[in-house]
Amino acid sequence: MIKFFRKIRQNLLMENKTGKYFKYAIGEIVLVVIGILIALSINNWNEKRKDNIIEKQILDEMLISLKSDNETFEMLENRLMEKDSAIQKILNLREQDELPFGKSFGGLIGTARQTIRFTYDKSPYENLVALGINRMSNKELVKAINKYYTQQLPRSIEFIDGIEEEYLPKIQKSEEKAVERGVLKKQFVKRDGDNKWSVMYQSNPNQLLNDKLFYQSMIDEFQYMSNSLGRLRNLIRYNKALIKLLEETK
């Protein structure tokens, strides 16, 4: 009987020890899991911090790029405005009795004939996409950046390219016919000041201004200028809006 109760007592002691060991093991596991979670949190925080630094650098580069593009766009705008002014002066000369000869008139024709070359920098946007633009917390900024680089900018380029494809071949054809008939002459001359060569137009102003093909070419030049200028000014407005948003979020 005594042995029976002694055995029960030993079993209870063993169960208590097993329970303690089990609780200890559970506690160790919990500590390990907590340690892993803390390490992962720290690692994620470091990665997020690094991404934020890179994101800020890219956005700073984008702001610089947009401002540089804006200077280019405004330069192209000025060229188109100069073109418009030259076209208006040429057309107004048709109503005058005495017409200018020499470089002044040839210079007007050259300005009226000038075109624009559309360029921009897309590399900061491509870098931001590679980083993961949709992971940015500022969703308003993400939406504005995506809209500018995937809609407003390419559509403007497509529109301006379409204008060139429509009008420039007609203008070139009219010019070639005017040259063939001797109404318009082109030659290389050195520009004043920089000693560089450029094309200078020479002609009899009275004969040229009364030429129907030349008159039609001026109308085409005006249409090319007007449509391009309108689209370019829209793009300048989009560009400045994105610049303002980037500056406000810095």
Side-chain angles (χ1 to χ4, degrees):
M1 193 70 175
I2 293 173
K3 290 181 179 180
F4 174 75
F5 284 111
R6 184 180 294 168
K7 188 175 183 179
I8 292 174
R9 183 171 175 273
Q10 289 175 347
N11 289 337
L12 289 172
L13 290 172
M14 288 296 294
E15 288 177 1
N16 288 337
K17 288 181 179 180
T18 302
K20 289 180 180 179
Y21 290 142
F22 180 75
K23 290 179 181 178
Y24 177 78
I26 292 296
E28 288 291 321
I29 293 172
V30 170
L31 289 175
V32 170
V33 171
I34 292 174
I36 292 173
L37 292 175
I38 292 173
L40 288 174
S41 297
I42 293 174
N43 183 64
N44 289 337
W45 180 82
N46 282 330
E47 291 298 321
K48 181 65 176 176
R49 184 176 64 85
K50 291 178 182 177
D51 287 346
N52 288 339
I53 292 173
I54 296 173
E55 176 186 309
K56 184 180 182 304
Q57 290 174 343
I58 294 175
L59 291 178
D60 288 342
E61 291 173 4
M62 181 176 289
L63 184 58
I64 294 171
S65 173
L66 286 168
K67 289 182 177 180
S68 176
D69 285 345
N70 183 262
E71 291 178 1
T72 300
F73 299 159
E74 290 185 342
M75 181 270 291
L76 296 178
E77 180 187 23
N78 289 333
R79 283 178 63 88
L80 289 174
M81 292 173 65
E82 290 172 357
K83 181 183 181 75
D84 178 40
S85 176
I87 293 171
Q88 299 298 331
K89 288 178 180 178
I90 289 171
L91 295 179
N92 287 333
L93 287 174
R94 289 167 59 89
E95 302 175 3
Q96 297 181 11
D97 294 331
E98 294 184 4
L99 300 175
F101 286 82
K103 286 187 176 181
S104 59
F105 187 68
L108 280 178
I109 298 175
T111 304
R113 295 288 192 199
Q114 68 184 5
T115 58
I116 60 173
R117 183 173 295 277
F118 198 88
T119 60
Y120 66 97
D121 179 18
K122 198 178 180 180
S123 58
Y125 175 71
E126 293 172 344
N127 292 336
L128 195 58
V129 170
L131 178 66
I133 186 172
N134 292 325
R135 292 189 300 171
M136 291 173 56
S137 59
N138 191 331
K139 299 305 179 185
E140 180 186 1
L141 183 58
V142 170
K143 183 179 179 181
I145 292 173
N146 276 327
K147 186 176 182 180
Y148 178 78
Y149 282 100
T150 65
Q151 296 180 35
Q152 295 169 338
L153 187 57
R155 286 178 182 174
S156 296
I157 295 170
E158 183 180 359
F159 189 87
I160 293 175
D161 287 345
I163 295 170
E164 291 184 350
E165 291 176 3
E166 179 180 0
Y167 287 103
L168 293 190
K170 294 192 295 184
I171 293 168
Q172 184 177 1
K173 188 175 181 180
S174 298
E175 181 179 296
E176 288 173 353
K177 289 185 176 180
V179 172
E180 288 174 2
R181 298 197 321 275
V183 177
L184 181 66
K185 295 180 181 180
K186 296 193 297 182
Q187 66 177 14
F188 279 106
V189 296
K190 282 189 176 181
R191 296 188 311 215
D192 295 334
D194 56 13
N195 203 35
K196 292 184 179 180
W197 292 89
S198 63
V199 174
M200 177 62 70
Y201 294 83
Q202 289 187 340
S203 63
N204 182 314
N206 188 53
Q207 183 183 11
L208 188 62
L209 291 173
N210 288 298
D211 184 82
K212 291 182 179 180
L213 283 178
F214 177 77
Y215 181 72
Q216 181 59 47
S217 73
M218 286 295 103
I219 294 176
D220 292 334
E221 292 280 10
F222 178 81
Q223 291 295 331
Y224 164 73
M225 177 281 304
S226 179
N227 292 338
S228 298
L229 185 59
R231 176 57 62 169
L232 187 58
R233 282 175 171 168
N234 282 338
L235 185 56
I236 290 173
R237 180 167 55 85
Y238 300 146
N239 176 279
K240 288 183 176 180
L242 184 54
I243 288 174
K244 182 180 179 182
L245 185 58
L246 281 168
E247 288 178 335
E248 290 174 348
T249 55
K250 287 188 67 175

